Amino acid sequence: DTAVSQTPKYLVTQMGNDKSIKCEQNLGHDTMYWYKQDSKKFLKIMFSYNNKELIINETVPNRFSPKSPDKAHLNLHINSLELGDSAVYFCASSQTYNSPLHFGNGTRLTVT
Amino acid sequence: SQQGEEDPQALSIQEGENATMNCSYKTSINNLQWYRQNSGRGLVHLILIRSNEREKHSGRLRVTLDTSKKSSSLLITASRAADTASYFCATDAENQFYFGTGTSLTVIP
């Protein structure tokens, strides 16, 4: 019973392509997030959604767009991929904004 | 930046020894959390300590918080090889979490 699941686990693609990463949580949490972890393991928040409303949007290029069809899903769409987008992307959820985060196992994106 | 910073960046100890990791942050917080990340996996929540608490225990974990120094420490007692992982502190401020860059702990059997 995976609490937060994201697919795919690995994604290799060429510059300029458009790709999506899917995330689903079965914890009944109200808030979901996308984080980016770079090669130095630095974790930076990209987006969070609370009850289908975007409440945080850090300085992320508009090539990245979150889509939440319902409270249990938060997908990440990336257009015109660039080399610098290569990283591990983590989906997470929490009951409220300051309660513990539950992470998925990550999607390793490699842009060639 | 409100990012936390862990110290040391890397730590290598023998099984059975204690491991101490420190976290410093920059702004006032509501709570501070510690997470563990095994290689190739997502982060797992370990413990949460609120700003009005000074110390908290969970099994072999002991966390302290000094809000006057804006710092926290995570102590793992009687370490095991399975404790090998990266450990991150996260602080909440302005409705989001800020993570540090982590301490990479290696426990040698």
Side-chain angles (χ1 to χ4, degrees):
Chain A
D1 289 346
T2 304
V4 180
S5 60
Q6 52 182 110
T7 57
K9 186 171 175 64
Y10 300 97
L11 184 55
V12 180
T13 188
Q14 292 183 327
M15 285 175 56
N17 285 348
D18 304 335
K19 290 294 179 184
S20 296
I21 307 173
K22 295 185 177 181
C23 178
E24 176 182 4
Q25 56 98 0
N26 62 6
L27 298 168
H29 286 167
D30 289 334
T31 309
M32 295 184 71
Y33 310 81
W34 278 104
Y35 281 85
K36 178 181 180 180
Q37 187 174 43
D38 63 21
S39 58
K40 296 183 179 180
K41 294 193 175 180
F42 175 53
L43 263 171
K44 183 177 180 180
I45 188 167
M46 301 177 71
F47 303 103
S48 69
Y49 256 72
N50 181 276
N51 288 329
K52 296 181 65 175
E53 291 187 43
L54 179 67
I55 59 174
I56 299 174
N57 186 342
E58 287 292 298
T59 53
V60 172
N62 58 14
R63 298 181 295 104
F64 292 79
S65 57
K67 296 283 194 304
S68 181
D70 55 58
K71 198 175 84 165
H73 296 83
L74 183 64
N75 303 324
L76 182 64
H77 298 273
I78 315 170
N79 295 324
S80 302
L81 279 156
E82 300 177 356
L83 292 177
D85 297 332
S86 295
V88 182
Y89 292 84
F90 287 97
C91 177
S93 71
S94 65
Q95 183 59 52
T96 61
Y97 82 89
N98 62 353
S99 54
L101 296 170
H102 295 253
F103 282 82
N105 282 326
T107 295
R108 181 174 292 277
L109 172 65
T110 303
V111 183
T112 62
Chain B
S1 170
Q2 299 177 13
Q3 169 191 345
E5 291 186 10
E6 287 89 348
D7 171 61
Q9 287 189 328
L11 180 61
S12 183
I13 60 174
Q14 295 287 343
E15 197 166 31
E17 293 180 339
N18 296 341
T20 300
M21 289 157 269
N22 303 297
C23 169
S24 59
Y25 56 92
K26 298 179 180 178
T27 65
S28 297
I29 59 172
N30 295 311
N31 66 57
L32 184 144
Q33 303 181 34
W34 284 91
Y35 289 79
R36 183 187 74 227
Q37 184 180 30
N38 290 90
S39 180
R41 305 297 295 271
L43 281 74
V44 174
H45 178 258
L46 295 175
I47 196 165
L48 179 153
I49 186 166
R50 302 193 187 284
S51 59
N52 60 354
E53 297 175 310
R54 291 298 168 257
E55 186 171 314
K56 203 162 183 179
H57 298 253
S58 177
R60 295 183 295 113
L61 305 180
R62 184 178 80 117
V63 169
T64 61
L65 179 64
D66 187 335
T67 53
S68 66
K69 294 182 179 178
K70 291 186 169 57
S71 67
S72 174
S73 67
L74 170 66
L75 169 67
I76 303 174
T77 60
S79 64
R80 305 166 181 168
D83 294 329
T84 294
S86 292
Y87 292 81
F88 295 84
C89 67
T91 55
D92 74 311
E94 298 176 357
N95 291 349
Q96 58 183 299
F97 289 101
Y98 291 91
F99 282 85
T101 51
T103 291
S104 178
L105 173 66
T106 301
V107 181
I108 303 167

